[in-house]
Amino acid sequence: MVGVMPKEEDWGMEGGGDQIPAGDNLLQALIIDDLRDFIANHNLDDSARTKLESCTLEQQVDVISQDSGNVRNMNAVVISRANKSQKQGPQFTGAKSHEYVTGLVDRFIDTLQLDEKASAGLRALPPKYQVSVMARDMGGVTNPSGVVDSRVRKLLREGDGYLQASAGAHLGSANMAKTQSANLGPMPTDATQFLEQAYQAFITEYNIDQRAQDLVAMLMPLEKLEVISDGMDNVWNPSGTVASRAIKVKGRQVILGKRAEQWISEVAALFCQSNGIDETADAWALLGSLPADKKFEVCSQSLAGARNPGSVLYCRIQKLGYAGPQGMLAAPRALPGFTRTPVLAAALSASAGGAAACTSGGCGDS
C-alpha cells in the first residue's frame, strides 16, 4: 500500500516533545488578560464590548493594540476600529501596534521554546503576518518549532509584495535560514536600499556565482529589479540564468512584470510608513498614482532630515508632472497592503495640504 505524503505542516507533528493539548490557542491565552484589562480600563459599554467580542482573534489584537491616547469617546473608537478591521483585515501599522505585537511574539517564542530558525523566521515577518501565524491552533503539535517554521515559509512563498518587502525585502521563494545568514543589515530607508537588500537575499538563496554578480553589478537599479523579479521556478542553473538575464536587459528599455510592480508598490507603502506619512495624506495617494518606475524613482530619494516628509514627497511628485496646485493629473491607485482607503477626494480637487505647502515654500528637503 502506498503511503500518503503528510501535509507540510504535519511534519511538525512528529518527533519528540510533549504534545500541546488539542484546541488550545496560545495567542488567545496570551491576550486574554490584556483584553479584559482593555475593556475594564476603558469602561466599554455593552455595544462596544459586543462589537469587540464579534471580532476574530487577529482583529481583537488589532483593535486593542492601537494607540488610545487622547481618545475622548473610546466606545465609538472601538466600534470604528472593529468595523475597519473586519472590513479590511487587521493592519497593525501604528507604532503602538508594532510594539504590542513584538511583545506577543517574544512571549509566544518563550512559551513554545522555539528554536533559533523558527524564532528568526517569525520575527522577520511584518506584524500582521506574525499575528496570523500565532493565531493558528497549535493543538496536537509535538514539534512547535517545525510547525512555526513551516507556516512562515509557506507565507513567504505565497505572500504578497508587502510581505516579501518587509521580510528581508525578498523577491524569491524564501528560505529564512539562508536569508538570515545574509547579514542584511538595518531596515532600509529608501527604495534603492530595499532593492539592494532584496538582491543580497536573492544571491544568498540561489548561490549566484561571481561572474553573474559582476554582470548584475553593471545594471541600473530597475534593470537589476527586472532580473531578480522574473522568478526562478524550474531553473536548474541559477547563475547561468541570472547572467543571461543581465546581458539581455542591459541598455534596453526596462520591462517590469506584475511581480516587480507589486514589489515597488509595497516598498512605496513601507517608505511612507517609515517616514511617518499617514495613509490619509495627499502624498500617499499621489504616490499610488505614479507608474512603477516613477514610484521607484521618488522613493529612492531619502526623506531623512525633512521637517515635513509628506510635503517634501508631494512636491517631488509635483516636479514629475503628476500633481499640481489644482490636484492630480493621473488617476490614483491606492498603495496596497495597508488601509487601501487613502483620501483621494482631496487629491483630485484643489489640495489644501501638499499644494499649499509647495506654493508657500514648503518643498525644501530640509
Side-chain angles (χ1 to χ4, degrees), residues 70-295:
N70 301 319
V71 173
R72 294 182 179 180
N73 186 347
M74 199 63 203
N75 291 309
V77 168
V78 167
I79 293 174
S80 175
R81 289 178 182 174
N83 284 332
K84 183 177 181 180
S85 191
Q86 288 176 329
K87 183 178 180 181
Q88 301 172 359
Q91 301 300 322
F92 304 103
T93 56
K96 287 289 185 181
S97 293
H98 286 202
E99 180 181 350
Y100 182 76
V101 173
T102 297
L104 286 179
V105 169
D106 290 340
R107 291 158 62 193
F108 184 85
I109 289 172
D110 290 343
T111 302
L112 293 178
Q113 297 182 330
L114 299 183
D115 63 24
E116 183 177 353
K117 180 182 178 184
S119 299
L122 182 59
R123 286 194 169 109
L125 296 176
K128 67 186 252 185
Y129 294 99
Q130 290 174 328
V131 175
S132 175
V133 170
M134 294 188 293
R136 298 183 63 179
D137 189 16
M138 298 291 289
V141 171
T142 58
N143 181 4
S145 294
V147 169
V148 170
D149 178 61
S150 173
R151 290 174 179 175
V152 168
R153 287 187 288 112
K154 184 176 180 181
L155 272 176
L156 287 168
R157 282 198 308 272
E158 301 175 355
D160 58 20
Y162 169 68
L163 170 59
Q164 293 165 347
S166 298
H170 206 279
L171 286 164
S173 58
N175 180 310
M176 286 308 303
K178 294 180 181 178
T179 302
Q180 289 298 318
S181 67
N183 188 23
L184 297 178
M187 182 71 172
T189 58
D190 59 55
T192 54
Q193 291 182 12
F194 268 113
L195 177 58
E196 181 58 29
Q197 194 179 71
Y199 176 62
Q200 292 302 321
F202 179 88
I203 62 177
T204 298
E205 179 176 353
Y206 294 107
N207 194 27
I208 305 301
D209 65 25
Q210 191 58 51
R211 174 180 174 272
Q213 291 185 47
D214 290 343
L215 289 170
V216 174
M218 300 171 63
L219 302 178
M220 299 297 290
L222 287 179
E223 293 174 337
K224 180 187 291 187
L225 177 58
E226 182 179 347
V227 167
I228 68 175
S229 65
D230 275 351
M232 300 293 285
D233 296 338
N234 301 317
V235 171
W236 294 97
N237 181 1
S239 294
T241 298
V242 169
S244 176
R245 290 176 183 175
I247 294 171
K248 180 180 178 181
V249 305
K250 182 171 174 56
R252 69 155 170 77
Q253 183 178 0
V254 173
I255 303 174
L256 297 176
K258 291 183 179 180
R259 196 178 199 185
E261 290 183 349
Q262 173 72 4
W263 185 84
I264 290 175
S265 292
E266 300 293 357
V267 166
L270 289 171
F271 180 79
C272 288
Q273 285 286 333
S274 65
N275 285 286
I277 300 173
D278 188 79
E279 60 264 29
T280 61
D282 290 342
W284 180 293
L286 290 169
L287 185 60
S289 75
L290 297 180
D293 60 334
K294 296 299 182 182
K295 200 176 296 179

Side-chain angles (χ1 to χ4, degrees), residues 13-56:
M13 306 285 283
E14 303 169 357
D18 296 330
Q19 190 177 81
I20 299 175
D24 284 10
N25 189 298
L26 178 55
L27 181 61
Q28 187 172 38
L30 291 176
I31 74 161
I32 188 65
D33 288 338
D34 294 341
L35 194 60
R36 290 170 178 164
D37 290 344
F38 182 87
I39 293 172
N41 292 340
H42 294 292
N43 194 26
L44 298 187
D45 60 23
D46 289 342
S47 60
R49 289 182 59 176
T50 300
K51 187 63 181 179
L52 185 58
E53 291 168 356
S54 72
C55 292
T56 65

